[in-house]
Amino acid sequence: MVASIDNAIERAAKAIEDSGALVITAGAGIGVDSGLPDFRGNEGFWKAYPPIAKLGISFSEMANPSWFKSDPGLAWAFYGHRLNLYRKTTPHKGFDQLLEMAQEKQSQYFIFTSNVDGQFQKAGFSDARIEECHGSIHHFQCTENCSDDIWGAKNTNIRIDEGAFKALEPLPVCTSCGALARPNILMFSDWEWIPQRSLNQAEHLDTWLANLQSQNTTIAIIELGAGSSIPTVRRRSEQLATRTRAQLIRINPRDYQVPQSHISVPLAASEGIDRIYRKIKENRSASR
């Protein structure tokens, strides 16, 4: 296994060095090394939220917009707690290493992520170079769909009674009509999500990729922490690899299988990035 990992690291380092642009795709696994909870299965979710465990509510049941109507205090306790957690969390050093590698590229980079936590922006990646396909907890929308407005949550603070696990009044409200607000996140059984912000981001990514293809720019795709249970990110990585003839580098400690000719790195996100980063530095020093 050691030899095969070393070989994968070497191949990944070369693919990144040979590329003119990077696409970084990321699922929830990239945040685990920053101390963010792993919601894989109800056990991980309930460990992070014991009060919800006592109610016997699963993650898919809790991550549902119906709670904003039936129990807004509980809904905003859950999403408010996550918002506060993401605001306090410091992205692990792998984000800095990724950003350094990406900024060295002549054609720069683009992020595609299913994460709603805003950790890439917090680490210094440009908001204009990120597609958040499931939305962002740092943006809100109206629960009554009075308009298609989406606004930032920067000046909103949510206080939570941790014992009762209820958000305290005042709860966030719509800036247009005053009705209850909700995060601009795609939830389960969600027919009310306003996707325009994410669609605009997707359009920017497609335009950037089209420009790269017209210039025959070599692309490397670095995928991090994207599981197979909800394979949104994995499928997008593979589609982009086929579309752009890019080399896919999949970093994942469990779901590390890759299509033929692509690179599998069976490590956690932070360790995988670090080893590739150090290998690139080592190779550059050796070639001087």
Side-chain angles (χ1 to χ4, degrees), residues 68 76 79 82-83 86-87 113-122 127 130-141 150-154 182-187 190 193-199 201:
F68 288 94
W76 268 116
Y79 283 102
R82 290 175 65 186
L83 176 60
Y86 298 151
R87 283 172 170 171
T113 181
S114 60
N115 298 335
V116 301
D117 53 30
Q119 292 294 291
F120 279 103
Q121 290 93 331
K122 196 170 187 180
D127 192 54
I130 301 174
E131 178 185 345
E132 296 159 302
C133 65
H134 291 166
S136 168
I137 201 168
H138 302 283
H139 290 79
F140 294 165
Q141 67 174 75
I150 298 169
W151 63 95
K154 184 177 181 180
R182 52 161 278 187
N184 181 234
I185 292 173
L186 177 62
M187 304 177 194
D190 192 353
W193 179 53
I194 300 172
Q196 196 54 53
R197 180 174 174 272
S198 296
L199 292 175
Q201 293 174 331

Side-chain angles (χ1 to χ4, degrees), residues 231-243:
T232 305
V233 174
R234 293 170 73 89
R235 286 176 180 168
R236 185 66 165 142
S237 299
E238 292 172 12
Q239 289 168 353
L240 290 175
T242 300
R243 170 181 165 185

Side-chain angles (χ1 to χ4, degrees), residues 100-179:
E100 181 182 331
M101 290 189 288
Q103 289 180 330
E104 289 177 343
K105 299 303 175 186
Q106 182 176 354
S107 297
Q108 292 279 301
Y109 64 89
F110 218 103
I111 310 292
F112 176 87
T113 181
S114 60
N115 298 335
V116 301
D117 53 30
Q119 292 294 291
F120 279 103
Q121 290 93 331
K122 196 170 187 180
F125 288 85
S126 170
D127 192 54
R129 292 181 175 275
I130 301 174
E131 178 185 345
E132 296 159 302
C133 65
H134 291 166
S136 168
I137 201 168
H138 302 283
H139 290 79
F140 294 165
Q141 67 174 75
C142 182
T143 56
E144 299 297 330
N145 285 89
C146 72
S147 71
D148 288 338
D149 288 348
I150 298 169
W151 63 95
K154 184 177 181 180
N155 297 318
T156 302
N157 294 308
I158 300 166
R159 297 174 301 122
I160 300 167
D161 180 336
E162 295 289 349
F165 203 64
K166 294 284 184 180
L168 301 174
E169 299 285 350
L171 301 179
V173 296
C174 175
T175 55
S176 296
C177 73

Side-chain angles (χ1 to χ4, degrees), residues 247-273:
Q247 179 70 73
L248 169 61
I249 302 159
R250 174 166 286 155
I251 302 173
N252 196 302
R254 292 181 291 262
D255 301 326
Y256 48 76
Q257 300 81 4
V258 290
Q260 188 174 4
S261 80
H262 293 289
I263 301 168
S264 169
V265 179
L267 297 172
S270 182
E271 182 182 359
I273 298 164

Side-chain angles (χ1 to χ4, degrees), residues 60-89:
S60 60
E61 289 170 331
M62 189 68 244
N64 188 301
S66 64
W67 291 104
F68 288 94
K69 292 182 172 61
S70 64
D71 194 340
L74 177 61
W76 268 116
F78 175 53
Y79 283 102
H81 185 277
R82 290 175 65 186
L83 176 60
N84 294 337
L85 174 64
Y86 298 151
R87 283 172 170 171
K88 291 186 294 185
T89 298

